[in-house]
Amino acid sequence: MEAVKSYRIPVDAPKDLIEEYFKVKQKALDIIFSHVKFSGKAHLKFNREDRRKLRDELLRGWKYSKHYIDSAINSVIGLVKSWITLYNGGKAESKLEITKRTVYIKNTLFSFRNGFLKISIEPSKRYLEVDLSKYSWIPKDFDKIGGLLMTEKELIVTVKKNVEPRADKWASFDVNLTNVTAFIDGEVRRYDLRRLYHVHRVYEVKIRRIQKLSKINPLTSKKLLEKYSRREKNRAKDFMHKLTTQIAKELKKKNCGAILENLKDIKRRILNGSKDMNRKLSKWNARTFQFMLEYKLKWLNLPVKYVNPKNSSKVCPLCSGSMASYGGRIMKCGKCGLTMDRDVIAVLNLQMRGEGFPQRALNEIIEREELSRNKINDPPCIPT
Ligand SMILES: [Zn+2]
C-alpha cells in the first residue's frame, strides 16, 4: 500500500516557463478539442499519429525541456476527457478553457539528491534548485517523490512511501460540530472544536458585511470575499492539522488503528439546532478530520477502517435497546435505563461495530461515563 503526503513550498518559479507552458496548453486544447466528435455521444478521436503531429508542432521554437510538451499534452487530454464525461452527462456548464497557470513536472524532469530537488528548465543549461531539507516538517523517511506541481509562487511536492499498516488496538472517533469524541485505549476523550466553530462564525459575519457592499462596489467585494474565504479555509485547516497531528502521534505511541464513520452510508444525523450553516460545518469537520487523520496514520503504518454509523447514537451499547433524547445531548435507554452523552454512545457503538470489545471493559467505561441528571461534565479543552 502506498502512503502519500503533499507539501506546499514557496519558490521563485521561472515565470517565462509558466507563461509559455500556459500558451502551449491553450494551443494544445484548440487542436485536441477539434478532435472531439459529437456524433452520438461525444468522444475524443485522437490517435498516435495526431499526437505525434501535435507534439512536433508544439516543439517548434520550444527551448525548454521537451518533457514539458508531453506533460502539457497529457494534461490537456485529461481535461478534455473529463469535460466529455460531464458533457455526456448533461453537466458541462461551459466551454472548456485553460485557466490555471500550473505546470506539471513529471519525474523525468527532476532529480533528488542530498535533500536537493533539481528541476530541469532548459536542457543541460537552466535548473531550478530547491533545498527540501530546509523544511523540517517534510518527512525524511519517504521512498520517492511523485510528480511536482509548480505555480508562480509555490511548488507542491508529493512524497510517497510503501507501507503495510497494522495495529495492536483500535480507537474510534465521532466528529461533531463542536467536538471530536474519541475512544482511545479504554478511555473516552473529547477534543474541543469550539475555537474552530468560532473561526467559521467570525468569517461568516465578515462575509455578510462584504456581501452588502457588493451592490455598491461589486469588484472590490468579490476580491474581498475571495480573500476572506481563503483565509477562513486556511485557519480552519490549520486547526485541523494541529489536532490530527496530535492524535496521530498519540495513536502511534499505542500502536492504535482508527475506526471512523463511513459518511457515505448515511445522511448525517440530525444536529442540534440544525441550521443549514451548522450542518455544512459539521460535514466539513467530519470530512476534513477523517481525510487528514487517515493519511497521517497511513504514513505512520497504522490502519484506518470505516464502519456504518447508522443510528450509532440511538442504540444502547449495553442492551441494544433504543435510546431517546433525555434533554440536551443526553440520551436514555428505554430498556435498561442507561443514561449517557450521545457522543459517548456514538463512539462506543462505532468501537463495537469496528472491533468489538469485552463486556467487562464496556462495563468499566459505562461506570465512568454514565450520567445521572445532575452529573454533567464539561468537555475538556485541547491542550495547545
Ligand atoms: Zn440499554
Side-chain angles (χ1 to χ4, degrees), residues 196-247:
L196 177 62
Y197 184 69
H198 186 69
V199 168
H200 287 304
R201 300 309 291 210
V202 166
Y203 283 96
E204 204 196 326
V205 172
K206 275 190 190 154
I207 280 164
R208 277 220 194 104
R209 239 177 255 156
I210 298 166
Q211 275 164 343
K212 273 183 201 154
L213 177 82
S214 76
K215 278 173 209 143
I216 312 158
N217 195 339
L219 202 67
T220 316
S221 126
K222 199 181 158 220
K223 275 189 190 150
L224 279 175
L225 267 181
E226 274 165 16
K227 183 174 127 192
Y228 279 116
S229 57
R230 204 169 43 235
R231 253 191 216 170
E232 177 198 355
K233 231 178 235 160
N234 286 344
R235 284 192 62 192
K237 271 190 183 167
D238 197 53
F239 181 98
M240 271 306 191
H241 268 303
K242 283 185 183 137
L243 176 63
T244 48
T245 298
Q246 181 203 335
I247 292 176

Side-chain angles (χ1 to χ4, degrees), residues 316 319 321 333 336:
C316 175
C319 74
C333 175
C336 73

Side-chain angles (χ1 to χ4, degrees), residues 315-323 332-339:
V315 176
C316 175
L318 206 54
C319 74
S320 308
S322 71
M323 305 195 81
K332 188 175 181 175
C333 175
K335 214 161 135 194
C336 73
L338 178 74
T339 311

